[in-house]
Amino acid sequence: MSIFNARWISEKSGCEAPVFRKKFTVRDIKSAVIDICGLGWFELYINGKPASENVFEPAVATYEQLNGKHTQYPIRDIFTNPRVYFCRYDITALLKDGENLLSAQLGNGWFNQTRVLNEGTFYIGVPRLAFSVRIETGKGKTLEIESGTDVKAGKSQIVENNVYYGEKHDLHLTDDFHDSCFSEKNFDCAVEAKRPDGELTLFDYPAEKVIRRIIPKYIGTVNGKKLYDLGENITGRLKFDTSYGGKIIIEHAEELNPDRTLDFYTVGCKYTPWRIQTFECIGDALPHKDVYAHFTWYGFRYFTVEGEIENLVCEVIHTDIKRTSDFKCGNEVLNGLYDIYIRTQLNNIHGCVPSDCPHRERFGYTGDGQITCETAMHVFDVREMYKKWMRDIIDCQDVNNGHVQHTAPFFGGGGGPSGWGGAVIVLPYQYYKFYGDDSLVKKYLPNMLHYLSYMESRCENAVVVREENGGWFTGDWAYIEEGNVDKNGVAYLTPQFVNTCYLIKFYDRLLDLDGLLKLGLKRAELKRKREAHASAVVEKYYDEATGDFCRGFLAANAYALDIGLGDERTLNRLVEKYDGAGGFDTGIFGTEILVRVLAERRYDDAVFKLLSSRKEKRSFGYMLDSGATTLWEYWDGKESHCHPMFGGCVKTLFTTFLGIRAASAGYRTVEISPCDIEALGDAEGYITTPRGKISVAIKRRGNRGAVTVELPDGVGGTFRFRGLEAPLEAGKKVFEF
């Protein structure tokens, strides 16, 4: 027997946070392992002790086919492979000779998400549980204990729980459900539940954990509520003790209004009814320790408390991803940009899914994810995380036409097609380039080609003209509209242009991969299609008189240059526009492309000016000067204040300013060519490649100084700076200038 054929069970009333208890007797224990899945999320205890430090398990997935469900955007796709993850724990040390207690508490998670329906009706069903314990005794016997209707089940102190809105506890109901002495008089036998449709799969990727703790700062009382500040925007939860007999209400927000009340707009309250992240307790005047929300995280910096609590602490929670880089220089905006990107990206990794924001939507948008993946690889150890997320992307790809969803795992969301669905090509490509690991490319190559065929089916006269009928068709996103739209509000940089340029880039990337990895692709056919799209872009959008594409609006010329179109005038017009602009007008795609195109052509001064600008409502400096501790969704600060999507250009801190560039996949060879910008001041940092740490330090003394480069074993390359070209090998080397 195993979890694959264990019986699924639920609590008979269908409550939102049931507790399950199973007692069993065993002796002479040699080893014990449990496979368990509690949907949406579960907490497992053995003899009153937690079986794991992980939280919000199992990780979210596309649980079942959603074809035919009501959604805001049309969903007609048949997903490749719906999936349900289960967890495996070694519980040998938690068992004892004699009677043992297995207990689990469940919450809704994404599986029973019934309250936020702006994207559609995606709830699957009430919480349910399956487990299988395998025990080996010292005498060579094997005992198996599995879930079934002999398990006792009942309600817990958690009256309500929702991923978006938070939790409500009734402390009158609190008892030690995980104690062997707990009375089960109000518990009944569990009832059999429907087995989930998705493929049951062991979760062996980085887990969700409490990463660190912050003591909140009390900053006063507003309207009778105690107001606290964490000093930074985080994702996590508050934990406290209380003996209060009344109601405790905690509300969370990213920002404050001028009167110091919480500003709920940026965390999702443009919706009706207002979506306020809340934790509520009904007290019973008895001592309660470690009261906290079990089945959601909150995205916030500020919070208010009504009622009496003590020993308050904030637990920062996200997927256990390690930072593997550092950057600092003489410019405070660039230093701040690195810091706020780090915090933003970590706040947006939950369940190994890179999300768009950690509060309002919480979805793994493929657009945001593909823009930031290269930067994330430079600054974090995300090798295993992206394996999981790539699986999410493929699981919900349409088996018939190759359409890739806007979110993965799929829970709705608008966008597309190229800037979002193109993640199916961008992620394996960047993964190979950074890690030198071709496993994603080779495993998912058929899916990548299937997506290309889908994009071809959305073209007319070699120009991409739509995605799904009745759905979104989006170009750049979150650009500054002033001066970039006509009198009807239509963007001069059209979705047709943006999506076709992206499609051409996808062909370039596949051709590049085929040349490097000998994938056996039909190169002539791919080149023919690529050139047909390129010719169509030139014919429709290029102005022969000026060298501009799309009249030079936004970063249209950068899009064209990125795929080898245009001429010297196109580049000059782009540089002329942005070198003196003092800030950005571009959206999430245009910003990354603009900075990269300028950096690749070594317009270092222009890149420095853009990234270090403090221009009002058009720069990262403006965000920082406005007190931002995480990246905003829009340059002017409207909407979410924790969106990583503009962080796609942060890799430039390393690739341009420090000059660390891979000369071959996986950093077998490198080129170190730092920029020569006096205003940058001293600069130093490192990235961690598959072969080890690569660090660069630039020290200046007027027009003189030194560049120190350190490479790990097995890595060599070339150093270039101020006309000097020298070979590099493993170890530390100092170049004076």
Side-chain angles (χ1 to χ4, degrees):
M1 301 292 287
S2 70
I3 193 171
F4 295 99
N5 46 28
R7 297 170 70 183
W8 285 81
I9 55 175
S10 62
E11 193 270 335
K12 70 176 186 179
S13 72
C15 70
E16 294 192 357
V19 173
F20 297 86
R21 290 169 53 92
K22 167 78 172 180
K23 291 183 177 180
F24 58 94
T25 300
V26 63
R27 300 187 187 280
D28 192 23
I29 304 162
K30 181 180 179 182
S31 65
V33 173
I34 184 171
D35 289 345
I36 181 170
C37 179
L39 297 171
W41 288 322
F42 72 89
E43 296 174 346
L44 173 66
Y45 294 80
I46 305 294
N47 293 322
K49 295 181 179 179
S52 170
E53 295 180 349
N54 303 341
V55 296
F56 307 140
E57 291 194 302
V60 62
T62 299
Y63 300 114
E64 65 173 27
Q65 296 289 351
L66 296 176
N67 184 282
K69 283 185 175 287
H70 167 72
T71 56
Q72 183 176 353
Y73 316 111
I75 299 299
R76 308 176 185 90
D77 294 359
I78 303 299
F79 296 154
T80 298
N81 191 51
R83 192 180 305 276
V84 172
Y85 285 106
F86 71 90
C87 301
R88 177 172 292 159
Y89 308 124
D90 186 333
I91 57 173
T92 309
L94 298 176
L95 294 179
K96 59 185 180 181
D97 270 10
E99 185 178 76
N100 290 269
L101 172 66
L102 181 158
S103 57
Q105 185 165 21
L106 272 59
N108 288 325
W110 297 98
F111 192 76
N112 192 37
Q113 204 299 100
T114 60
R115 292 188 64 186
V116 175
L117 305 179
N118 54 289
E119 301 288 356
T121 51
F122 294 101
Y123 54 85
I124 312 301
V126 299
R128 62 203 59 188
L129 174 70
F131 62 82
S132 177
V133 183
R134 183 183 179 89
I135 302 172
E136 301 289 340
T137 71
K139 296 180 180 178
K141 293 184 178 180
T142 300
L143 302 177
E144 293 181 341
I145 300 160
E146 295 188 340
S147 50
T149 54
D150 59 335
V151 175
K152 296 294 185 179
K155 298 179 181 179
S156 71
Q157 84 282 10
I158 303 177
V159 180
E160 299 175 5
N161 67 99
N162 181 269
V163 169
Y164 294 94
Y165 283 91
E167 284 189 16
K168 180 177 181 179
H169 293 199
D170 185 347
L171 299 184
H172 295 88
L173 304 177
T174 299
D175 210 327
D176 199 345
F177 304 110
H178 309 298
D179 192 306
S180 60
C181 297
F182 171 77
S183 172
E184 297 177 350
K185 66 179 181 180
N186 293 323
F187 277 40
D188 292 313
C189 290
V191 296
E192 194 155 354
K194 178 182 176 295
R195 181 181 298 272
D197 294 336
E199 177 188 349
L200 205 56
T201 305
L202 175 65
F203 186 79
D204 55 359
Y205 303 100
E208 201 90 345
K209 291 183 181 293
V210 175
I211 303 297
R212 56 190 173 97
R213 291 171 173 83
I214 302 173
I215 302 300
K217 180 182 179 181
Y218 172 68
I219 57 176
T221 300
V222 180
N223 296 336
K225 303 176 182 180
K226 300 180 188 69
L227 177 63
Y228 292 86
D229 180 8
L230 295 175
E232 60 179 291
N233 222 1
I234 64 100
T235 55
R237 64 192 180 194
L238 299 166
K239 180 181 284 189
F240 57 87
D241 302 337
T242 185
S243 300
Y244 185 59
K247 183 180 288 187
I248 298 168
I249 300 176
I250 302 177
E251 295 179 332
H252 309 71
E254 293 180 315
E255 301 290 352
L256 296 178
N257 292 309
D259 63 358
R260 295 208 308 169
T261 58
L262 297 182
D263 178 2
F264 297 116
Y265 188 84
T266 69
V267 294
C269 290
K270 66 178 183 178
Y271 299 108
T272 303
W274 273 29
R275 189 185 302 167
I276 299 175
Q277 304 172 99
T278 304
F279 182 67
E280 182 177 331
C281 283
I282 301 171
D284 62 358
L286 295 174
H288 294 275
K289 293 184 67 63
D290 293 339
V291 179
Y292 60 92
H294 289 247
F295 297 115
T296 190
W297 67 83
Y298 300 83
F300 68 110
R301 171 178 174 172
Y302 301 97
F303 63 96
T304 58
V305 177
E306 298 176 65
E308 300 300 324
I309 62 176
E310 55 188 5
N311 299 327
L312 177 64
V313 65
C314 173
E315 296 183 330
V316 178
I317 299 174
H318 52 72
T319 300
D320 189 12
I321 299 296
K322 300 295 188 294
R323 180 168 65 92
T324 55
S325 65
D326 197 17
F327 176 85
K328 62 185 70 171
C329 70
N331 183 276
E332 62 181 8
V333 173
L334 296 183
N335 293 336
L337 174 58
Y338 175 76
D339 290 340
I340 64 175
Y341 169 73
I342 292 289
R343 191 176 294 113
T344 309
Q345 191 67 76
L346 289 174
N347 286 350
N348 279 281
I349 302 178
H350 294 275
C352 280
V353 174
S355 64
D356 65 322
C357 62
H359 33 58
R360 187 185 76 217
E361 293 172 295
R362 306 180 180 222
F363 293 158
Y365 269 94
T366 45
D368 306 60
Q370 68 96 347
I371 295 170
T372 56
C373 70
E374 187 180 5
T375 289
M377 292 173 196
H378 276 77
V379 302
F380 300 112
D381 179 4
V382 286
R383 189 166 184 168
E384 294 302 310
M385 184 202 82
Y386 279 129
K387 286 183 181 179
K388 190 270 184 181
W389 193 53
M390 188 66 190
R391 174 185 269 180
D392 291 331
I393 293 171
I394 299 304
D395 281 351
C396 53
Q397 184 178 24
D398 181 58
V399 297
N400 295 315
N401 65 16
H403 177 231
V404 173
Q405 312 302 328
H406 304 148
T407 61
F410 183 71
F411 287 98
S418 296
W420 281 260
V424 75
I425 290 175
V426 174
L427 184 54
Y429 178 83
Q430 298 296 358
Y431 195 89
Y432 170 67
K433 285 291 188 176
F434 189 86
Y435 294 114
D437 182 346
D438 62 7
S439 60
L440 295 189
V441 172
K442 291 186 173 178
K443 183 176 182 179
Y444 298 118
L445 182 61
N447 304 88
M448 299 161 73
L449 295 172
H450 201 188
Y451 170 73
L452 276 186
S453 70
Y454 170 82
M455 291 302 300
E456 290 291 342
S457 73
R458 268 50 190 168
C459 293
E460 292 179 5
N461 299 319
V463 173
V464 181
V465 296
R466 68 180 179 90
E467 192 181 28
E468 295 298 280
N469 290 329
W472 283 35
F473 178 53
T474 308
D476 208 349
W477 185 257
Y479 56 86
I480 293 177
E481 294 186 357
E482 181 183 354
N484 294 306
V485 297
D486 64 18
K487 62 182 180 180
N488 298 314
V490 177
Y492 290 116
L493 185 67
T494 68
Q496 290 85 349
F497 173 80
V498 170
N499 281 277
T500 308
C501 287
Y502 259 102
L503 179 55
I504 294 167
K505 190 70 172 179
F506 299 154
Y507 278 107
D508 289 341
R509 284 170 170 164
L510 277 171
L511 287 165
D512 186 21
L513 289 171
D514 183 61
L516 293 168
L517 299 175
K518 311 304 179 188
L519 300 174
L521 300 181
K522 298 177 180 178
R523 294 184 64 85
E525 180 180 343
L526 294 178
K527 287 181 178 179
R528 177 181 58 78
K529 291 180 178 178
R530 188 250 189 236
E531 291 309 312
H533 295 300
S535 297
V537 167
V538 171
E539 180 180 353
K540 189 167 183 177
Y541 301 105
Y542 181 59
D543 186 342
E544 182 63 44
T546 64
D548 279 330
F549 287 78
C550 295
R551 300 168 60 184
F553 283 101
L554 296 169
N557 288 334
Y559 281 87
L561 291 164
D562 193 36
I563 52 177
L565 302 182
D567 55 26
E568 186 175 348
R569 294 175 303 158
T570 312
L571 177 59
N572 290 339
R573 298 273 286 185
L574 180 73
V575 174
E576 181 183 358
K577 174 180 179 179
Y578 285 103
D579 190 37
F584 293 98
D585 61 355
T586 45
I588 59 177
F589 303 119
T591 299
E592 189 278 332
I593 292 172
L594 168 65
V595 172
R596 179 165 47 79
V597 165
L598 292 175
E600 288 173 350
R601 288 155 180 79
R602 297 313 307 234
Y603 286 91
D604 296 347
D605 285 320
V607 172
F608 176 80
K609 290 176 186 177
L610 283 169
L611 292 183
S612 63
S613 169
R614 283 188 147 102
K615 188 169 186 178
E616 184 178 1
K617 298 183 180 181
R618 289 176 179 260
S619 67
F620 294 114
Y622 174 69
M623 295 184 194
L624 291 162
D625 291 342
S626 301
T629 62
T630 45
L631 291 168
W632 294 349
E633 183 178 7
Y634 287 87
W635 293 113
D636 62 2
K638 66 181 179 181
E639 307 293 350
S640 160
H641 280 191
C642 192
H643 252 70
M645 58 193 192
F646 276 117
C649 60
V650 171
K651 59 180 175 284
T652 311
L653 301 178
F654 302 95
T655 59
T656 296
F657 299 140
L658 296 182
I660 305 172
R661 304 187 182 205
S664 59
Y667 289 83
R668 293 186 298 273
T669 55
V670 298
E671 176 185 312
I672 306 296
S673 52
C675 70
D676 190 10
I677 299 176
E678 185 176 351
L680 186 68
D682 289 350
E684 61 181 300
Y686 69 88
I687 63 173
T688 306
T689 74
R691 287 167 172 76
K693 181 188 293 187
I694 297 176
S695 64
V696 173
I698 307 166
K699 302 293 183 183
R700 297 178 180 275
R701 298 295 179 268
N703 197 40
R704 302 177 64 84
V707 179
T708 302
V709 179
E710 189 164 4
L711 302 182
D713 290 343
V715 175
T718 305
F719 175 80
R720 293 185 175 92
F721 187 76
R722 288 195 179 184
L724 171 66
E725 182 172 315
L728 287 170
E729 57 187 18
K732 181 185 290 188
K733 194 163 187 179
V734 179
F735 299 91
E736 295 185 349
F737 62 88

